[in-house]
Amino acid sequence: MSSGADASQGGWSRRRFLGALGGTAAVVAVPAPASAPADPESTPAATPAPAPSTHPAGKAGGPHPLYLGTYTSVDGGGTGIGLATYDPATGQITGAGTLTGVADPSYLAVHPDGRTLYAVDEQTAGAVTAVRLADRKVLGSRSTGGAGPCHLSVHPTGRWLLSANYTSGSVAVHPIGTSGALGERTALVKHSSPQPGPGQDGPHAHQFVTSPDGGHVLAVDLGTDTVYTYRLDTTKGTLTEVSQAHTRAGAGPRHLTFHPGGRYAYLANEVDDTVAVCAYDPATGALTIGGPQSSGSTGSTTNYPAQILVTPNGSYAYLANRGDNTLARYAVEADGARLRLLDTVPVSGDFPRQIAFSPDGTLLFAANQKSGTVSVFHVDGATGQLRLAGEPFASPVAVCALPL
């Protein structure tokens, strides 16, 4: 099956079917807005296990919370958002139950104030759901206006939730109220231009994030081989497109992450199995995509790069390789302008769909979709080397791990 095709398998998108074959944000205080949107009414949820206490980013001692995304509508999937804790010193994960009442929560994000968790409901009638972490109460869901939402992020102001609808190729914005609950959608933009890339049947928005300077929001679309830059009106929650950056035809861009310096970003291309360094202009929001580079995969099996991360100090980058089942390590050079492949390490799982750092950057979590496990690695701050932290943790159809 072509990795660029959006095949339908009983209503599944290509991205879900691929994973079924055979299977982070620091917590910082943000003042509440003076005039936040009104909160929607809450909806009840099943009572989960007691919530672990949250910790400020980097604080040592005691277990830290870990939330796990899954698919609830597939055989062997989970029943909701997985609840766990992890030891920040050893990386050991301990299960703590499940939060039910959220359908297909395949991607998770946390509000900058650490009080509210957000999940996509990756279904045909796509939605996003807010969960209050203090008592794990579901605060309600809102339609994304599209199908198959697969990514979401919170704007640094804490007032807007950004989400990407994979199947329908659109991006959406929702207001966030003072309680963390979501208001009615304020923007929905479908990627109608350029035309789909080779083997694609339409646009497929895969990620929607804010630039480090906060001035622009960027949407990565696998179907159109394009990264779209928008200006978000932080008063109205509307979007205005300001530029487009195009990969080579058929690259299938999936995930973008910025260097801490804010002038460069790194793009994981799922379909052609490459990565690329991008230059970013904060003044205009323009992104310039560089040439393709190796993912580190051996070529012995079809590989789909998933997610790329950069260490907080900007010295190293890591790429999750699904198929090759490795984590590639890169040295970041020239103040972010260059990536140099150093090596790969086995992920100790099958099909690493998503990776995330602990808030202090000392641990890396990999959610392995096909093996239903989460692997944890110690990150050497000086060399960037990864060391597996014990046996992977069993988690049904693990597609997202969010350590707080």
Side-chain angles (χ1 to χ4, degrees):
M1 164 179 189
S2 170
S3 68
D6 184 37
S8 174
Q9 301 291 333
W12 288 14
S13 67
R14 174 205 56 81
R15 59 193 303 280
R16 293 180 65 179
F17 181 64
L18 281 176
L21 287 174
T24 46
V27 181
V28 293
V30 174
S35 56
D39 299 334
E41 293 189 8
S42 301
T43 57
T47 303
S53 60
T54 57
H55 297 266
K59 182 177 179 181
H64 289 217
L66 175 67
Y67 298 94
L68 303 167
T70 186
Y71 287 116
T72 59
S73 61
V74 303
D75 290 342
T79 56
I81 298 172
L83 307 173
T85 62
Y86 70 95
D87 186 312
T90 67
Q92 181 178 352
I93 298 174
T94 301
T98 304
L99 172 68
T100 59
V102 185
D104 290 322
S106 65
Y107 201 88
L108 310 172
V110 69
H111 192 280
D113 67 13
R115 295 182 297 187
T116 310
L117 181 73
Y118 300 98
V120 297
D121 301 10
E122 192 178 332
Q123 299 191 316
T124 301
V128 283
T129 297
V131 179
R132 186 170 61 207
L133 290 180
D135 58 1
R136 291 183 181 149
K137 181 180 179 62
V138 175
L139 300 178
S141 300
R142 296 287 186 178
S143 168
T144 60
C150 65
H151 184 272
L152 79 176
S153 63
V154 183
H155 189 267
T157 61
R159 293 194 59 182
W160 307 100
L161 185 72
L162 313 174
S163 59
N165 293 308
Y166 178 86
T167 306
S168 53
S170 58
V171 291
V173 180
H174 288 80
I176 298 175
T178 52
S179 71
L182 299 170
E184 289 290 349
R185 189 178 63 248
T186 56
L188 178 66
V189 177
K190 184 178 177 67
H191 296 154
S192 57
S193 176
Q195 292 298 305
Q200 300 293 330
D201 63 351
H204 295 301
H206 221 307
Q207 184 192 31
F208 200 19
V209 293
T210 306
S211 61
D213 57 277
H216 299 91
V217 291
L218 293 90
V220 180
D221 195 297
L222 182 150
T224 62
D225 292 325
T226 301
V227 180
Y228 301 82
T229 299
Y230 298 94
R231 187 170 294 280
L232 171 69
D233 185 318
T234 54
T235 301
K236 300 177 181 179
T238 54
L239 296 170
T240 303
E241 184 180 310
V242 296
S243 69
Q244 296 181 5
H246 306 291
T247 67
R248 65 178 182 172
R254 176 187 175 95
H255 185 269
L256 182 80
T257 191
F258 279 89
H259 185 270
R263 299 304 300 266
Y264 297 96
Y266 312 105
L267 187 63
N269 295 314
E270 173 180 330
V271 179
D272 74 355
D273 189 19
T274 65
V275 296
V277 177
C278 308
Y280 172 72
D281 183 353
T284 65
L287 195 74
T288 303
I289 301 174
Q293 297 182 224
S294 172
S295 68
S297 64
T298 62
S300 60
T301 185
T302 303
N303 186 60
Y304 309 96
Q307 184 165 4
I308 190 166
L309 296 180
V310 182
T311 54
N313 64 8
S315 297
Y316 297 95
Y318 305 94
L319 176 70
N321 283 314
R322 299 170 300 164
D324 197 58
N325 289 340
T326 56
L327 299 175
R329 178 175 63 115
Y330 298 85
V332 179
E333 301 174 335
D335 294 326
R338 187 167 62 240
L339 288 180
R340 178 167 56 89
L341 180 64
L342 297 175
D343 57 21
T344 62
V345 298
V347 75
S348 197
D350 192 356
F351 223 68
R353 166 78 166 265
Q354 176 262 359
I355 53 178
F357 288 125
S358 59
D360 63 3
T362 62
L363 297 173
L364 185 150
F365 294 74
N368 303 307
Q369 182 173 357
K370 288 186 183 180
S371 57
T373 56
V374 177
S375 304
V376 185
F377 294 83
H378 294 283
V379 182
D380 188 303
T383 67
Q385 290 183 324
L386 300 177
R387 176 172 56 87
L388 188 64
E391 290 296 316
F393 175 77
S395 181
V397 190
V399 291
C400 184
L402 178 64
L404 303 185

